[in-house]
Amino acid sequence: MTEPNDLPTTIVIFGASGDLTARKLVPALYHLFGKERLPEKFRVIGLSRTNWSDETFREKMREAAQTFAGDQFDQDQWGPFSEHLHYFPFDMTEESLYEDCLAHICGLEDGPANRLFYLATAPQFFPIAVEYMGKHGMTAEKEGWRRVIIEKPFGSDLPSALELNRVLHEYLHEHQIYRIDHYLAKETVQNLLVFRFGNAIFEPIWNRNYIDHVQITAAENVDVGHRGGYYDESGVFRDMFQNHLLQLVSLVAMEAPASFNAGALRNEKFKALAAVREIPAEAMGEEIVVGQYEGYLETDEVVEGSRTPTYAAVRFWLDNWRWQGVPFYVRSGKALCDKTTEILIKFKTPPHNMFPMGPGEPIRGNMLSICVQPDEGIHLRFEAKVPDTPAKMRSVDMEFHYSDDFGDLVIPEAYERLLLDALNGDASLFTRADSIEEAWRIIDPILQVCEAGLIPTAKYEKGSWGPKEADKFLARDGRRWQMGCWHE
């Protein structure tokens, strides 16, 4: 009997005429093809309502790859790759068309094959596509494996996420479902696990005994632009906190998995999320700051008087042995002064200062800064004696930058890694159902309080670091927002 991994592979993209396919998916597949990482026998079938032919689809994708692959685009390589691209005009909301679609796929496969379905569509079409695919046998694992990649957002609140999971599990097994969060495939995020568990010097101090607090920042310097209608229904909590930021929290806080496989890794991430303390309604005002940049209400398609936050800062607490009493300060916002995603670990100060210090010159705690983007790297700040002084100290920095140490290696796009992992059946970087639901358990009460207007919305200027209330928020704890050395 032919093993599934020896079979040809069909990659089916729903929404193939959309922006995601052109900007991310096809360029990622093209790069994997150039690195000889795709299956030996494969085909890509694009599906969407646009009435294209195979030739038109190939030309559109060539233009996209040439634009988004940049210097890595090679016309000689594109020719052989494009021969694997096919297109089938298809309305995914019409159940009667699924039999024709399946017949077309089977005709191209000409025998048993594995299939990877990518739902690059608006989220309201996820349950429709999965239901119709399931009813018409497209996802049945009789000959070869069947996997489905689902883009975020995964639900808009806990009830909708539960319902989506219910529909998915009615037609798919959990091992077939790949819920994608591209943040998890960024090289620096992946390196966080290696940094923690591949170096013996950090893990012993990665706990409440040595760490004062954790800061996680995901800042964007652009406003909502032409996405006012979408963003006004989403806001910063749905757009960033429920997925990206809580995933980063879980990676920082998780225990070491027994092995580096998807099940063990995702078990520990779930445990970390399960330890996050739900914020009581009466304490929301003490644990959360929300803001909205000046001019947001004038954006097209934004509802008059909208309370949708474009900025938020939250203090999370984890109730477990490792992190009890260590606050996790998490913030994100639009129209801020810089574009950066960073994890900052602030260590405690020494318990006793034996060195002569000047007036108002306290000894500073060490700081570890992990920059996820754009300047991928790690900085460790510690104290050193200034030469030719009795014991004057100054903070110095040890740093690692991907661009310096791996300059000859191009950091791949996150989608390249995620597509390859899905083809290989490695779900380590994909989110499991229980973690999705746990993240919504944390965020749902915050959304309800914010949408009811029970937390005041502070205003902040574009190009700032957010509302002044967020600075006061940390100042009440005797702390301040800090960024890595490259920001200072």
Side-chain angles (χ1 to χ4, degrees), residues 272-283:
L273 288 176
V276 176
R277 184 189 307 168
E278 185 174 321
I279 304 174
E282 63 274 13

Side-chain angles (χ1 to χ4, degrees), residues 283-436:
M284 292 281 183
E286 295 298 317
E287 304 291 336
I288 300 168
V289 172
V290 294
Q292 194 180 85
Y293 65 78
E294 297 283 359
Y296 173 76
L297 295 178
E298 285 71 58
T299 305
D300 289 343
E301 299 183 21
V302 168
V303 176
E304 183 178 354
S306 171
R307 295 194 187 100
T308 298
T310 60
Y311 174 98
V314 182
R315 178 171 49 207
F316 291 116
W317 301 93
L318 277 69
D319 291 325
N320 61 18
W321 188 271
R322 181 184 292 264
W323 296 108
Q324 194 68 37
V326 178
F328 280 62
Y329 299 100
V330 183
R331 63 174 172 168
S332 181
K334 292 277 191 183
L336 300 179
C337 71
D338 200 1
K339 176 180 174 61
T340 185
T341 301
E342 184 176 338
I343 301 165
L344 187 141
I345 311 296
K346 187 66 183 293
F347 293 95
K348 292 182 177 180
T349 56
H352 170 65
N353 181 20
M354 56 182 277
F355 305 105
M357 306 287 287
E361 189 180 358
I363 190 169
R364 296 199 285 184
N366 304 134
M367 188 171 74
L368 177 69
S369 177
I370 302 167
C371 188
V372 176
Q373 64 176 8
D375 184 12
E376 295 89 350
I378 299 173
H379 286 229
L380 177 63
R381 171 176 287 175
F382 59 95
E383 298 301 296
K385 176 183 174 295
V386 177
D388 200 26
T389 67
K392 183 177 177 60
M393 290 186 292
R394 191 177 77 186
S395 295
V396 295
D397 185 45
M398 293 178 66
E399 61 183 51
F400 152 70
H401 292 266
Y402 272 86
S403 58
D404 293 336
D405 288 77
F406 302 107
D408 56 333
L409 296 176
V410 177
I411 295 178
E413 273 282 338
Y415 282 91
E416 188 176 324
R417 170 67 186 272
L418 291 168
L419 282 166
L420 182 61
D421 282 358
L423 289 167
N424 291 334
D426 183 355
S428 300
L429 298 178
F430 296 84
T431 311
R432 203 167 59 188
D434 53 0
S435 290
I436 288 284

Side-chain angles (χ1 to χ4, degrees), residues 202-217:
F202 294 107
E203 185 56 24
I205 61 172
W206 206 265
N207 56 57
R208 60 188 172 86
N209 296 322
Y210 297 95
I211 293 177
D212 178 77
H213 70 279
V214 177
Q215 295 181 22
I216 299 178
T217 297

